[in-house]
């Protein structure tokens, strides 16, 4: 998944959760990442995995977007 993809831009996706714009996304925390998001479909040790928000594309396990939801 490229950060410049239209859906990625709309959701503020970053491949590296530490590079999220804190001013734009004040609820973001450094501990949040795709790997611990309920929507992430990869395995914890995978570098990339699927996400239903980005159909047919892989997101980085260490990435983040504004749709992040804590994994149960």
């Amino acid at each position: 998944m490229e950060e410049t993809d239209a859906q990625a831009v709309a959701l503020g996706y970053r491949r590296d959760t530490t590079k999220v714009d804190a001013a734009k996304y004040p609820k973001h925390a450094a501990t949040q990442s795709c790997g611990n998001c309920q929507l992430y479909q990869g395995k914890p040790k995978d570098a990339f995995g699927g996400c239903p928000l980005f159909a047919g594309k892989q997101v980085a396990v260490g990435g983040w977007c504004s749709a992040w939801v804590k994994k149960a």
Side-chain angles (χ1 to χ4, degrees):
M1 171 62 116
E2 296 297 325
E3 293 179 353
T4 55
D5 181 274
Q7 182 74 353
V9 171
L11 291 172
Y13 173 76
R14 290 287 175 255
R15 284 185 174 201
D16 181 346
T17 193
T18 65
K19 304 216 180 205
V20 172
D21 182 347
K24 191 170 183 180
Y25 300 102
K27 292 184 180 184
H28 169 265
T31 57
Q32 299 172 350
S33 70
C34 293
N36 62 24
C37 177
Q38 189 170 325
L39 300 173
Y40 185 69
Q41 298 172 333
K43 294 180 178 138
K45 295 190 180 206
D46 292 344
F48 294 90
C51 176
L53 299 177
F54 304 107
K57 298 180 180 169
Q58 301 276 299
V59 296
V61 71
W64 182 88
C65 86
S66 61
W68 182 88
V69 177
K70 185 177 181 177
K71 191 173 276 189

